Structures are given as C-alpha cells and as structure tokens.
Amino acid sequence: MNDTPEPASPPCYAHEVPAPARPLDWPHWRKAQREALLAARQAIPAEERARVAAEVAGVLDRLIAPRPGQVISLYWPFKAELDLRFWMESAQARGARIALPLVVAKGQPLKFREWHPGCAMERGVWNILQPAGTEEITPTLTIAPLVGFDPDAFRLGYGGGFFDRTLAALGPGVKAVGVGHPSAALRSIHPQPHDIAMNAIVTGERGVILNGW
C-alpha cells in the first residue's frame, strides 16, 4: 500500500460515530456514519467544493492522462458531490470516451451509456441525469464519488451496493478511483466481505492513496 503524497495535516475524525459494542452492529454503525458524513458534506461551502474539485482534476490528469482508447466512467453530481463535469469535457476532448452509470434494477450491477457534451439527457433513478439513447459501453476505468474512505482505500458509498457489484462484474482489470472531499476521511469503514478496495482515492493535491495502481 502506498499513501503518496502525505496529507498536509492529520485527518479530522470528529464527525465519526462511536464504534459499536458488538460486531453485528457494524451495518447500523455504517448507516449512522453515512448520515453524519452526508450532513457534513452538505455543509461545505460551494467555493470549497469547487477548490477541491479543481485539485482533484489536476491529480486525475497526472494519474490517468486521458487519451484515445480509454473508456472512463464518471458520474453526474448530486448531494454536494464534487462536480467534475469540466474534467469530463476535458478528458473527452483529449480522445477518451466518457460513460455515465445507469441503475438497471435493485441488486444488479450498473450499466453505462456514453456521454459527450450536448448529448440528450433524461432523469434516471434518484432523479439523476443520465445519457438518453447513446451507446452502451463498458469502462476500462471507473471514477466514483465517495461518502467516506479509509487509509486502506476502501470507499463508503450510499449503501445500495451498486458500485461494489459493478466492480465485481467488471473484473480486476478495470481500475477504480474514488474521489471526494478530504473531510470524508475515516479511520476505517470496517469493510464487509462484499466491499472492494479502490485502486486510488483522490481528495486533493496532497490527498492521494494508491492501492495497486
């Protein structure tokens, strides 16, 4: 495991919910932790989120170096997630194909449709915009928003399990990057058997965790 470069200062864990007394309580702990992290994220000023998004985009440029032949999946932001749509446009302009996820059904892996600037969009699950009628494609690299993360590159998501099922279906040849604000750091997400660690977590210029990149 390589944590490079080191963060500018130790993460603050003040938002953490106390650990449960019994192992069987971990799902409830994660639910409470998720709610606390989402509330904290909503409180981050838009200017701060934009600053972090710009830093994350700079790291992604160096880490991924978008180019023809890549199929990169990203996301359409909601719930105060980092807005990387400007980076999507930049990556697409450099020749990479951009994909956005679609929820097919509960308990099923995500599917992906190609996105390009100006393509028709429609409302999907949770009212999130997604491409309408474009080609279904399979990513060679995935970038996903995180609710929380830990030093072992595990990502805490929204609790539906969609992203972990998708990574399992895509296979180990597809690298996964989690992106978010550095305040989402946890000592551990207490990963469960279905959790799949990211190959990288990026939360800014000095907030990079690499895991088999």
Side-chain angles (χ1 to χ4, degrees), residues 165-191:
R165 279 189 290 270
T166 302
L167 290 181
L170 291 173
V174 176
K175 289 186 175 180
V177 180
V179 296
H181 194 274
S183 64
L186 299 170
R187 292 183 181 87
S188 174
I189 74 158
H190 302 287

Side-chain angles (χ1 to χ4, degrees), residues 28 35 58 135:
H28 296 92
E35 291 173 354
E135 182 182 355

Side-chain angles (χ1 to χ4, degrees), residues 16 26-27 29-30 33-34 37 147-157 164 184-192 194-197:
E16 285 200 14
W26 285 123
W29 178 87
R30 287 172 63 150
Q33 190 67 72
R34 185 178 294 112
L37 286 165
V147 175
F149 69 97
D150 68 20
D152 292 320
F154 280 101
R155 166 188 175 271
L156 184 68
D164 287 313
L186 299 170
R187 292 183 181 87
S188 174
I189 74 158
H190 302 287
Q192 304 302 298
H194 64 272
D195 289 313
I196 298 175

Side-chain angles (χ1 to χ4, degrees), residues 182-213:
S183 64
L186 299 170
R187 292 183 181 87
S188 174
I189 74 158
H190 302 287
Q192 304 302 298
H194 64 272
D195 289 313
I196 298 175
M198 303 292 97
N199 298 108
I201 297 285
V202 181
T203 60
E205 286 288 349
R206 299 188 65 187
V208 181
I209 300 172
L210 301 179
N211 174 34
W213 185 260

